[in-house]
Amino acid sequence: MTKAIETDRRETGSAPGRGAAVSVDGVGIRFGSFQAVSNISLDIAAGEFLCLLGPSGCGKSTLLSAMAGFEAVSEGDLRVGGTPITGPHPGLGMVFQSSEALFDWMTVRQNVAFGPRMRGATRAAQTKLADEYLGLVGLRHCADRFPGQLSGGMRQRVQIARVLANEPGVVLMDEPFGALDAQTRQVMQEETDRIWRASGCTVVFVTHDIDEAILLADRIAVMTAGPAASVKSVYPVDLPRPRDEADPAAAELRRALRADIGEEVRKALRDQGLDPGLDQDVDLKGNLR
């Protein structure tokens, strides 16, 4: 059985591909008197795919924003490739949940070429990079369309291509498929696994979905319920790719993750005054069924 461990300090040296290591060392984040996360330590190896999983409001997106340089840490240290993260970093790319991050007035190719253009690349280099990464996400045939002419899943693939065109060592993904229908979400999960393996990037992926984490991750870090959330346990996912949800080992890991997160959800609801007798009527996002 894959076993959870309370801490996990992996070697973060060089690895095949262009991915960069991320070090999270004793990180805490406060907003005024509110402690969002506390004493989080994770070493994410170069080229690794790490999923952050936990109940709603546990600070997963807050931690990801700090990794992106959008939020300042109150305690501890964040580094990418050994360099402290003190603000937005050229080695980091962020894929948001909403595809509204795309520029509606630009074509798909212009959206993907935007980063290289801002870096001063020649027009020929911009076009070459845009076409390369649109090819990687399977959308080269849409290069001259506008985002509003694409489906939700296609717009998210454009957003991924735009991030990859900046050639970051680390890609941060904040529930990027949360707004998609179930069928499109499944396709995007499969595509993300393929694109990650092709690009060699390090990926940190926030999700509420246990099955999504099992499908994608090398490791899954489970966070405690907030406030002052921390890392409860880390599970290595020792399953061959592409993943088979019917694999008995996947089912066993799913049961362990459900129990781990369910414990945190029930704790949070009891802290909010919920009758413990209602525990069994609560889903893993903390909603009454």
Side-chain angles (χ1 to χ4, degrees), residues 51-55 60 173-176 185 189 205-214 216 220 261:
C51 277
L52 290 174
L53 187 66
K60 301 184 296 296
M173 306 182 80
D174 190 6
E175 295 192 75
R185 182 172 185 143
Q189 290 165 349
F205 189 105
V206 165
T207 183
H208 284 108
D209 189 320
I210 290 173
D211 288 328
E212 184 168 69
I214 293 172
L216 293 172
I220 300 170
I261 297 170

Side-chain angles (χ1 to χ4, degrees), residues 17 24 26 29 38 41 43 56 77 145 148 155 179 197 214 237:
V24 184
I29 303 171
S38 176
S41 293
D43 282 343
S56 294
D77 185 58
R145 298 185 194 177
R155 288 195 298 271
R197 286 188 283 168
I214 293 172
V237 186

Side-chain angles (χ1 to χ4, degrees), residues 213-267:
I214 293 172
L215 178 68
L216 293 172
D218 290 323
R219 288 188 301 153
I220 300 170
V222 177
M223 293 183 66
T224 65
S230 60
V231 173
K232 177 183 177 76
S233 50
V234 179
Y235 292 79
V237 186
D238 298 321
L239 297 170
R241 297 177 186 270
R243 303 273 164 79
D244 179 3
E245 293 182 7
D247 187 323
E252 190 174 358
L253 177 57
R254 186 179 301 110
R255 284 192 294 271
L257 288 165
R258 286 180 65 87
D260 224 357
I261 297 170
E263 180 181 24
E264 292 304 311
V265 170
R266 287 187 287 273
K267 176 181 178 295

Side-chain angles (χ1 to χ4, degrees), residues 69-155:
F70 300 156
E71 298 285 355
V73 301
S74 307
E75 302 95 24
D77 185 58
L78 273 173
R79 292 175 182 265
V80 58
T83 301
I85 300 171
T86 57
H89 189 286
L92 296 163
M94 184 82 162
V95 178
F96 299 94
Q97 179 172 348
S98 172
S99 59
E100 291 178 2
L102 297 175
F103 302 131
D104 287 339
W105 61 92
M106 291 184 179
T107 67
V108 165
R109 180 182 285 115
Q110 289 168 339
N111 264 281
V112 177
F114 182 78
R117 189 179 80 179
M118 292 297 99
R119 297 200 310 270
T122 65
R123 182 164 297 185
Q126 294 171 36
T127 300
K128 181 180 178 182
L129 279 168
D131 287 349
E132 176 184 347
Y133 287 105
L134 284 172
L136 182 63
V137 301
L139 288 176
R140 192 174 293 164
H141 64 290
C142 297
D144 295 321
R145 298 185 194 177
F146 290 89
Q149 297 174 304
L150 305 180
S151 69
M154 293 168 79
R155 288 195 298 271

Side-chain angles (χ1 to χ4, degrees), residues 30-62:
R30 289 194 306 270
F31 301 101
S33 61
F34 177 74
Q35 184 86 35
V37 299
S38 176
N39 195 31
I40 292 182
S41 293
L42 286 167
D43 282 343
I44 305 166
E48 182 178 12
F49 199 124
L50 178 90
C51 277
L52 290 174
L53 187 66
S56 294
C58 71
K60 301 184 296 296
S61 294
T62 299

